[in-house]
Amino acid sequence: MGKMPVLTVLKQRRGEFVSGQELARASGVSRTAIWKQINRLREAGFSIEASTKRGYRLVSVADRLLPEEISWGLKTQVVGKRLIYFDEVGSTNEEAKRLATEGAGDGTVVVAERQAGGRGRQGRGWFSPAGGVWLSVILRPEIAATDAPKAMMVAVNAVVAVVKSLGVEASIKWPNDVLVGGRKLAGILTEMSSHAELVDHLIIGIGLNANVAADEYPPELSEFATSLQIEKEEPVDRVELVRCLLAELDRGYEVLKLGKFDAVVEEWRSGCETIGQTVELACHGRIVSGLALDVDDRGSLLLRLKNGFTKAFAAGDVTVVKKPVKAIGKN
Ligand code: BT5
């Protein structure tokens, strides 16, 4: 695992003084570099006491997603090998897109504590205060552009797995929402750049409401949004959360690259609550209603319409109009 980040050493010995010499040995950096790092941590909101005789003592921690902390103990092949951190940014997807155009490598992750212009699908906004997990991953899989929607499924599956591991029951609303008790916990925004029908790169943007308190949501969201903190009635360890999320994404990415699309779609399908319900789908200003039969291998929703025909929809917003239909009739 190599040398420990300065912060990790201090955290392990929280409340005690650690001498500069010991810190330098454990973290593998010079004593002047340590002084610089201590100052940086202080600026990030950590309270660290310094004494010329006794060394450094961590008094209180700040809830930050610092790359060196996330990297420590991160066991991934590709995802998160490079982490780019912002205290505040417009949108991590925009930032990732810029970096990808400049050639940033497969698995690069952009993470921000806050987004001033967080983005949803179709020009919508994404509320991104401090305490959430707002990140974008650059992926460069060698797959056909038509298979790109499976990458979004990989991301949704990863979020669901991580949320479940925290003991919170989550379900997927087609195509990209992660809900808990009908409220939105997370959303995913995938953007693709392709060349000659092949994927050049994908930007997978994940917005996961981690430590967002109920009273922080603006009125128009408070009824429809939830967070891990709300569901668990206590804040979660965001560093650990991001580490698990990156590990799950890495696992799913591996499956995707092997072309095992069926496994990806199957995992997605098993977590999806939309299938089997009668829904209304808003798409390009029109509303279509029908029975959600399944998704096809491109991630499109298959709706059986009132006229008996089945049609595939690649995008849109669904609202459930009826409780699950048990017996699905044949066409
Ligand atoms: C999404 O869009 O669900 C995709 C959201 C992706 C956000 C991430 S954060 C990191 C990365 N960088 C970005 O700039 N974006 C990605 P959509 O399905 O269009 O849902 C958007 C709608 O969800 C909004 O119109 C609101 O109604 C609602 N909403 C906004 N912020 C929310 C929040 N924090 N929690 C729950 N719902 C929210």
Side-chain angles (χ1 to χ4, degrees):
M1 240 183 233
K3 298 287 185 184
M4 240 186 243
V6 169
L7 178 58
T8 311
V9 181
L10 290 175
K11 270 191 167 174
Q12 285 187 348
R13 305 266 301 273
R14 190 159 169 191
E16 287 172 40
F17 274 100
V18 184
S19 74
Q21 197 182 2
E22 221 185 317
L23 259 185
R25 201 174 50 232
S27 64
V29 298
S30 73
R31 293 181 66 167
T32 22
I34 285 182
W35 179 236
K36 277 194 196 140
Q37 286 201 32
I38 297 281
N39 279 336
R40 202 171 60 85
L41 289 169
R42 280 176 168 166
E43 275 163 25
F46 290 81
S47 160
I48 299 166
E49 229 177 284
S51 139
T52 29
K53 279 201 192 124
R54 301 162 74 191
Y56 304 95
R57 184 164 79 111
L58 180 62
V59 180
S60 74
V61 296
D63 182 17
R64 294 277 179 155
L65 293 174
L66 298 178
E68 65 255 44
E69 273 213 276
I70 295 170
S71 301
W72 172 249
L74 181 70
K75 293 188 195 77
T76 57
Q77 298 297 317
V78 179
V79 178
K81 285 287 168 202
R82 182 174 171 211
L83 285 162
I84 294 160
Y85 173 84
F86 292 93
D87 183 39
E88 181 167 328
V89 77
S91 151
T92 55
N93 261 43
E94 284 306 316
E95 211 50 55
K97 222 187 286 181
R98 193 180 56 74
L99 287 161
T101 322
E102 288 169 5
D106 195 18
T108 302
V109 173
V110 179
V111 54
E113 302 287 358
R114 278 175 296 246
Q115 296 183 114
R119 293 173 36 216
R121 292 175 302 146
Q122 296 158 20
R124 289 185 286 234
W126 185 257
F127 176 62
S128 319
V133 167
W134 326 121
L135 59 82
S136 301
V137 189
I138 299 171
L139 297 181
R140 298 184 179 277
E142 288 172 3
I143 59 173
T146 47
D147 286 323
K150 278 112 179 180
M152 183 166 86
M153 287 182 160
V154 161
V156 183
N157 291 343
V159 173
V160 169
V162 170
V163 170
K164 281 193 176 162
S165 74
L166 289 171
V168 175
E169 263 322 299
S171 61
I172 302 167
K173 186 178 114 178
W174 181 84
N176 67 330
D177 288 2
V178 178
L179 306 182
V180 177
R183 289 170 190 241
K184 189 151 165 171
L185 176 72
I188 286 143
L189 176 67
T190 314
E191 296 175 271
M192 176 178 64
S193 159
S194 62
H195 182 66
E197 291 173 21
L198 287 175
V199 168
D200 176 64
H201 65 260
L202 297 166
I203 309 291
I204 313 273
I206 300 178
L208 171 58
N209 301 320
N211 297 335
V212 183
D215 60 9
E216 280 181 76
Y217 285 109
E220 67 275 15
L221 286 181
S222 58
E223 235 183 280
F224 306 102
T226 188
S227 71
L228 289 172
Q229 178 176 319
I230 295 171
E231 297 301 326
K232 292 198 64 79
E233 296 178 349
E234 60 178 4
V236 295
D237 179 340
R238 288 190 311 142
V239 170
E240 187 56 28
L241 181 69
V242 170
R243 250 190 233 131
C244 293
L245 182 59
L246 300 184
E248 282 295 334
L249 284 168
D250 196 67
R251 178 185 66 85
Y253 189 34
E254 206 47 44
V255 176
L256 186 82
K257 281 189 294 188
L258 290 170
K260 293 184 182 167
F261 300 134
D262 288 352
V264 174
V265 179
E266 195 39 57
E267 186 178 342
W268 184 92
R269 191 184 277 126
S270 72
C272 177
E273 60 163 41
T274 311
I275 293 165
Q277 312 237 35
T278 300
V279 301
E280 279 183 345
L281 180 114
C283 173
H284 304 305
R286 280 201 321 141
I287 292 187
V288 206
S289 62
L291 177 64
L293 293 177
D294 203 353
V295 282
D296 65 12
D297 63 357
R298 291 187 181 183
S300 296
L301 186 67
L302 299 176
L303 277 192
R304 199 173 67 211
L305 309 175
K306 287 206 183 94
N307 62 13
F309 286 106
T310 299
K311 206 175 158 195
F313 294 87
D317 292 292
V318 295
T319 326
V320 173
V321 292
K322 248 200 247 160
K323 283 289 144 207
V325 177
K326 289 244 168 60
I328 299 174
K330 295 206 173 75
N331 269 326

